Amino acid sequence: MAKNIQSLERAAAMLRLLAGGERRLGLSDIASSLGLAKGTAHGILRTLQLEGFVEQDAASGRYQLGAELLRLGNSYLDVHELRARALVWTDDLARSSGESVHLGVLHQHGVLIVHHVFRPDDSRQVLEVGAMQPLHSTALGKVLSAYDPVAHSEVMEAERRSFTARTVTAADEFEAVLDLIRAQGWAADAEETWEGVAAVSAPVHDRRRMPVGAVAVTGAVERVAPGGVLRPELIAAVRDCARAVSRDLGAGRF
């Protein structure tokens, strides 16, 4: 049986102590409560502070939970609420479009797939939940880059790799693509990431009207964009799905 890592156990106990006790605690209080030497407690607190999980009040020297811990907690809640709210709508979208549906969020300079509804036929398909997609070439990624300032900064600072001859990599051209996405309210990927594959995506917003993810229909280019033209009914269906999920998240009407 694998042994627990003592330093991690102590750090976790420290975070629980700060979360459950007074708003701020001093080094001596923390050390005595956990039965640690002051030097040991200070070392753990310093590491947690450097990672943003703990903050130290400059005036009193006392410690409290940091903003990074709150951000991670909110991220967990947001993603799980997003997926829960999207289940019915994405199922309906897959059924009406006849194609696969993906729900993605910004994660580590890319798009993390948090929900995937299979294309409603008997073909063999692979579940893509947990997979990562690039920001600059996929419909999901471009929507997030257009609407989320953090995603926009990340995609503009990163190297935009060319996956196919259709991938847009130049900064000025990519900015023009994002301007168009904001104007029309949706994004497309027609063989810009994978040959033979096309997708249409629209943004999902939360109650604060902030972009928290994107939904996309993905399928063979000849079905999604026959003759090189995206099917208008697919665009409308994806946008309707994104609006419905946004409304369920409290965003109201867009």
Side-chain angles (χ1 to χ4, degrees):
M1 182 176 178
K3 293 182 178 179
N4 293 340
I5 300 174
Q6 188 180 55
S7 59
L8 292 179
E9 287 183 328
R10 289 171 170 175
M14 204 168 281
L15 293 173
R16 291 191 187 98
L17 178 65
L18 290 170
E22 300 175 24
R23 179 170 174 76
R24 295 189 178 119
L25 293 173
L27 175 60
S28 297
D29 299 324
I30 294 171
S32 61
S33 295
L34 299 178
L36 300 174
K38 280 188 179 182
T40 301
H42 183 262
I44 296 172
L45 283 167
R46 179 169 174 75
T47 301
L48 292 172
Q49 187 178 357
L50 289 172
E51 294 297 327
F53 297 138
V54 164
E55 296 173 356
Q56 186 178 28
D57 180 65
S60 67
R62 290 175 172 265
Y63 295 90
Q64 65 183 33
L65 294 180
E68 180 64 12
L69 197 64
L70 179 62
R71 186 190 70 80
L72 289 176
N74 285 340
S75 174
Y76 174 85
L77 292 174
D78 287 349
V79 168
H80 283 263
E81 183 182 7
L82 171 63
R83 184 178 180 277
R85 298 289 185 179
L87 288 176
V88 172
W89 299 110
T90 50
D91 280 352
D92 287 347
L93 179 58
R95 190 161 42 248
S96 64
S97 67
E99 302 293 348
S100 297
V101 175
H102 295 91
L103 186 69
V105 298
L106 178 67
H107 181 69
Q108 294 182 348
H109 308 283
V111 183
L112 173 68
I113 304 302
V114 297
H115 185 52
H116 175 200
V117 185
F118 282 166
R119 184 172 63 254
D121 59 21
D122 295 328
S123 63
R124 187 174 178 218
Q125 300 172 62
V126 177
L127 186 66
E128 295 180 33
V129 172
M132 293 290 293
Q133 293 187 4
L135 282 172
H136 70 285
S137 62
T138 61
L140 287 168
K142 287 189 280 186
V143 158
L144 292 173
S145 299
Y147 288 92
D148 186 331
V150 175
H152 181 265
S153 296
E154 291 183 356
V155 76
M156 296 310 297
E157 292 170 3
E159 177 186 358
R160 290 174 295 280
R161 175 184 165 193
S162 182
F163 295 104
T164 74
R166 297 173 180 82
T167 310
V168 177
T169 58
D172 55 346
E173 292 180 39
F174 189 70
E175 283 285 17
V177 169
L178 297 184
D179 287 340
L180 177 61
I181 291 169
R182 295 185 196 101
Q184 64 190 15
W186 54 273
D189 164 14
E191 298 187 288
E192 294 173 48
T193 311
W194 303 281
E195 296 285 355
V197 177
V200 181
S201 180
V204 175
H205 297 80
D206 66 5
R207 61 185 60 86
R208 299 161 296 174
R209 296 294 182 101
M210 296 295 292
V212 292
V215 63
V217 158
T218 304
V221 67
E222 61 267 21
R223 296 194 305 268
V224 176
V229 179
L230 289 163
R231 289 166 51 197
E233 67 272 21
L234 276 186
I235 297 172
V238 170
R239 297 190 71 189
D240 286 345
C241 177
R243 289 193 193 104
V245 178
S246 298
R247 284 196 301 272
D248 279 3
L249 288 171
R253 298 187 64 84
F254 272 82

